[in-house]
Amino acid sequence: MTDSLQNGLVPSLSINADRLWHTLMEMAKVGPGVAGGSCRLALTDEDKAGRDLFSRWCLEAGYTLSVDQVGNLFARRAGQDDSLPPVVMGSHLDTQPTGGRFDGIFGVLAGLEVLRSLDDHGIVTRHPLELTVWMNEEGSRFSPPMMGSGVVAGVFTVQEILDQIAQDGARLGDELVRHGYNGTRSATDHPMAAYLEAHIEQGPVLEVENRQIGVVTGAQGQRWFEVTVTGREAHAGPTPMRLRCDALVVASRMVQAIHDIGMTTPGDACTTVGILDVRPHSRNVIPGEVFFTVDLRHPDNGTLTAMEAAFRQQIGDLAAAAGATVSISEFWNFPTTPFDPVLVGRVRDSATRRGYSHRDIVSGAGHDAVYIARKVPTAMVFIPCEGGISHNEIENISPDQAARGASVLFDVLLATAGR
């Protein structure tokens, strides 16, 4: 791949676009989904197979592998001064149950291509480099998400993550042992000079605006809640409508209210009810209890706080009006996270110099970079994805889009690690 630069600048070094696409397609064969996507839930046999393939590629290239206490996997390329803290790239291998071929893994394999391209060009960086596969970013099999990066950033303790139980009943620490990824490297004492992550946008903005690169300035704040509505179980036939306290009817009004908060709050607010369980789950029993999850997101912390207050007030009022009770527990919370302005500027400069159309963008999704930004200077590079679709087996990107993202990552890495 060759890029002509604007303003008379020296042409940029190239990555090997064909090799990058080949590695993406080879990894896509591991844990294939039923409809063309990928299924590599965290610490399943499929996830292990993906880790093993990644490890083989890294060892063949001459990089050193290590694993920390919670299963984060690191490939290290030595620097001119190996005593310096490494510049780190990374993302995740695990997927949603019906995930796509590029969410997470693009960032890992774009990072691998950057390291291989440095080898091709005979470049030694001043800082050592590390490429990371973070453990359980998705939070599908084990919750909450972003566990591995969360431990490194001090959000979670090692032991609480090792003791997490999956939806299928497995203990996380036992699964690490089963697969041989129970490492000894400290997960809490990990020096880094900077962190970079490439990712598909997982939304439609770049494609709709015909932009080739997203310069990620930060990530939305997110607050997750679990809600239980308690009404009164009763027989569906003999109980008159006027005398019922139907927990599902009350919950449905709450879901609509939560949706309306997202629709009426300015500035890219998002509200989602993703899980709803009805009990006792019988055809002829009026539901007595409903459990549901709530996901609130906004780029501004003050607005997000106002959204939470509105959510709590409105569902409390709806429960009281129906004679039901409601309980709310906070499941997960992280604030709006700005990324490092110097690194963000390097992403913007690279896109400009390579002639790629670009725009600043705030990430609507959580990423490992959001936690690592609490620890070290951090930046992300977004590329478009087809239709803005992600967490879906039809998720798709083109080889050219992959190559552009990896090229920008290459430039920012080299500018940060030093030649």
Side-chain angles (χ1 to χ4, degrees):
M1 176 182 141
T2 302
D3 294 286
S4 297
L5 300 190
Q6 299 173 337
N7 303 321
L9 296 175
V10 177
S12 294
L13 296 170
S14 63
I15 56 99
N16 187 323
D18 291 338
R19 180 173 57 197
L20 170 60
W21 191 253
H22 175 73
T23 58
L24 284 164
M25 294 302 98
E26 287 299 302
M27 185 61 76
K29 297 176 183 177
V30 179
V34 298
S38 295
C39 181
R40 294 188 298 269
L41 299 183
L43 304 184
T44 57
D45 293 346
E46 293 78 16
D47 186 34
K48 178 187 185 302
R51 285 165 163 255
D52 290 349
L53 177 59
F54 169 79
S55 297
R56 177 167 66 81
W57 284 334
C58 291
L59 290 172
E60 288 173 352
Y63 312 137
T64 303
L65 292 177
S66 62
V67 183
D68 72 14
Q69 298 162 289
V70 294
N72 293 318
L73 174 60
F74 301 89
R76 185 179 178 96
R77 183 181 190 265
Q80 183 184 47
D81 184 351
D82 226 32
S83 67
L84 293 173
V87 176
V88 181
M89 300 176 289
S91 197
H92 58 99
L93 274 162
D94 65 306
T95 72
Q96 293 286 332
T98 53
R101 298 173 296 163
F102 304 102
D103 176 8
I105 190 59
F106 168 68
V108 173
L109 297 184
L112 178 59
E113 178 53 39
V114 168
L115 297 184
R116 287 169 162 175
S117 294
L118 289 171
D119 294 341
D120 292 344
H121 294 295
I123 295 172
V124 177
T125 56
R126 181 167 175 265
H127 284 257
L129 309 176
E130 287 190 343
L131 176 58
T132 304
V133 175
W134 299 110
M135 188 276 297
N136 186 40
E137 191 271 353
E138 290 290 0
S140 294
R141 187 181 179 215
F142 295 93
S143 290
M146 296 158 24
M147 284 185 176
S149 57
V151 171
V152 170
V155 178
F156 311 119
T157 67
V158 170
Q159 196 59 50
E160 71 178 305
I161 293 306
L162 294 178
D163 288 337
Q164 289 296 313
I165 304 299
Q167 292 185 6
D168 55 24
R171 179 179 173 272
L172 191 148
D174 295 338
E175 291 294 83
L176 288 175
V177 172
R178 182 169 76 90
H179 292 314
Y181 282 98
N182 55 319
T184 57
R185 178 174 175 168
S186 172
T188 56
D189 181 17
H190 190 127
M192 300 183 193
Y195 177 70
L196 308 172
E197 182 169 345
H199 211 283
I200 62 172
E201 181 196 349
Q202 301 185 281
V205 174
L206 295 178
E207 183 179 76
V208 167
E209 296 188 5
N210 197 28
R211 305 298 179 94
Q212 295 168 321
I213 294 293
V215 180
V216 189
T217 58
Q220 284 185 332
Q222 299 183 40
R223 300 183 190 183
W224 291 9
F225 303 91
E226 295 182 336
V227 179
T228 301
V229 182
T230 304
R232 185 172 58 252
E233 291 178 21
H235 198 295
T239 309
M241 298 297 290
R242 67 183 184 277
L243 298 179
R244 298 183 178 197
C245 185
D246 187 325
L248 180 55
V249 172
V250 179
S252 68
R253 293 170 182 156
M254 294 175 176
V255 172
Q256 184 63 56
I258 292 163
H259 174 79
D260 290 345
I261 290 170
M263 291 294 292
T264 58
T265 302
D268 295 324
C270 293
T271 58
T272 304
V273 174
I275 297 174
L276 192 146
D277 295 329
V278 181
R279 304 184 183 101
H281 199 256
S282 175
R283 292 176 184 269
N284 61 345
V285 177
I286 299 165
E289 183 178 280
V290 173
F291 167 88
F292 63 91
T293 61
V294 178
D295 179 329
L296 307 180
R297 305 190 188 204
H298 199 278
D300 177 73
N301 279 323
T303 305
L304 187 57
T305 297
M307 290 169 62
E308 179 184 344
F311 147 68
R312 289 180 178 274
Q313 180 67 48
Q314 291 183 35
I315 68 170
D317 291 347
L318 288 166
T325 61
V326 62
S327 66
I328 305 169
S329 63
E330 186 176 86
F331 182 76
W332 194 44
N333 182 337
F334 69 84
T336 300
T337 304
F339 290 151
D340 181 74
V342 172
L343 295 181
V344 171
R346 288 174 182 164
V347 175
R348 193 180 295 114
D349 290 346
S350 170
T352 300
R353 292 173 62 243
R354 286 184 178 269
Y356 300 155
S357 59
H358 59 279
R359 62 158 286 170
D360 288 4
I361 192 169
V362 174
S363 175
H367 300 286
D368 293 303
V370 178
Y371 276 157
I372 300 303
R374 300 184 182 191
K375 182 180 176 73
V376 298
T378 294
M380 293 190 73
V381 179
F382 274 180
I383 60 171
C385 53
E386 188 175 305
I389 300 297
S390 182
H391 286 193
N392 185 319
E393 291 203 58
I394 66 171
E395 172 187 281
N396 196 34
I397 65 173
S398 71
D400 285 346
Q401 289 168 333
R404 283 190 286 266
S407 295
V408 172
L409 183 66
F410 182 97
D411 291 346
V412 180
L413 182 284
L414 196 53
T416 305
R419 294 182 67 167

